[in-house]
Amino acid sequence: MRLVVQRVKNAHVEVEGKIVGKIETGFLVLIGVTHNDTKEQADYLVKKLCKLRVFTDENDKMNLGLKDINGELLIVSQFTLYADCTQGNRPSFIEAAKPDQANELYEYFCSECEKNEIHVEKGIFGADMKVSLVNDGPVTILLEKN
């Protein structure tokens, strides 16, 4: 399971011209799932994400987490995080999990984040989404659990 975590001032996701998820300060999280990912891996990444301290404190140090700043999460499924570009110029997505498995883990991941008392907004799994954000910093963190 792979996460691309972007610290944002705000972010939203649109499907067919309609905003389906929107947050202010927090993290935009792109999540990719591969074939052998498990709920245990998701649990590890939920814990890591919800406790990630990359918001600045009064001393301008990255020392605060989502809860400290009343931050929010916008979580968007993105199978292309498992693109393999080693052969030719057209990516292979064979490492991405099948939609049923990926959606199950995506929904599980989102619900576990909510259990940490953090407001969660989501994209629509499998939809053609337009994601907009104002990256803060920019700060972008890659989290992975094999």
Side-chain angles (χ1 to χ4, degrees), residues 7 27 48-70 136 139 141:
R7 187 177 76 180
F27 293 142
K48 186 65 80 174
L49 175 68
C50 291
K51 293 184 177 186
L52 192 62
R53 295 178 3 198
V54 296
F55 295 94
T56 54
D57 64 14
E58 66 280 356
N59 297 315
D60 205 31
K61 300 278 186 203
M62 284 189 190
N63 197 31
L64 302 176
L66 281 171
K67 286 187 178 181
D68 299 319
I69 61 146
N70 293 316
D136 181 18
V139 173
I141 307 287

Side-chain angles (χ1 to χ4, degrees), residues 36-146:
N36 58 351
D37 285 341
T38 65
K39 287 182 177 179
E40 290 75 25
Q41 290 165 309
D43 291 340
Y44 171 87
L45 288 170
V46 164
K47 183 177 178 182
K48 186 65 80 174
L49 175 68
C50 291
K51 293 184 177 186
L52 192 62
R53 295 178 3 198
V54 296
F55 295 94
T56 54
D57 64 14
E58 66 280 356
N59 297 315
D60 205 31
K61 300 278 186 203
M62 284 189 190
N63 197 31
L64 302 176
L66 281 171
K67 286 187 178 181
D68 299 319
I69 61 146
N70 293 316
E72 303 174 289
L73 291 169
L74 175 57
I75 305 173
V76 177
S77 177
Q78 189 168 351
F79 77 94
T80 60
L81 291 179
Y82 277 97
D84 179 355
C85 299
T86 57
Q87 301 287 322
N89 295 317
R90 184 170 182 261
S92 167
F93 299 105
I94 197 164
E95 292 302 315
K98 299 289 185 215
D100 288 346
Q101 177 194 8
N103 189 33
E104 181 181 333
L105 276 173
Y106 168 70
E107 292 295 337
Y108 176 80
F109 184 88
C110 292
S111 67
E112 292 300 304
C113 286
E114 288 174 331
K115 289 179 183 177
N116 282 273
E117 300 175 2
I118 296 170
H119 179 76
V120 174
E121 295 277 322
K122 301 187 303 186
I124 296 177
F125 185 89
D128 180 18
M129 295 176 275
K130 308 300 181 223
V131 180
S132 298
L133 68 138
V134 175
N135 198 321
D136 181 18
V139 173
T140 301
I141 307 287
L142 303 176
L143 296 176
E144 188 166 14
K145 180 66 174 167
N146 294 325

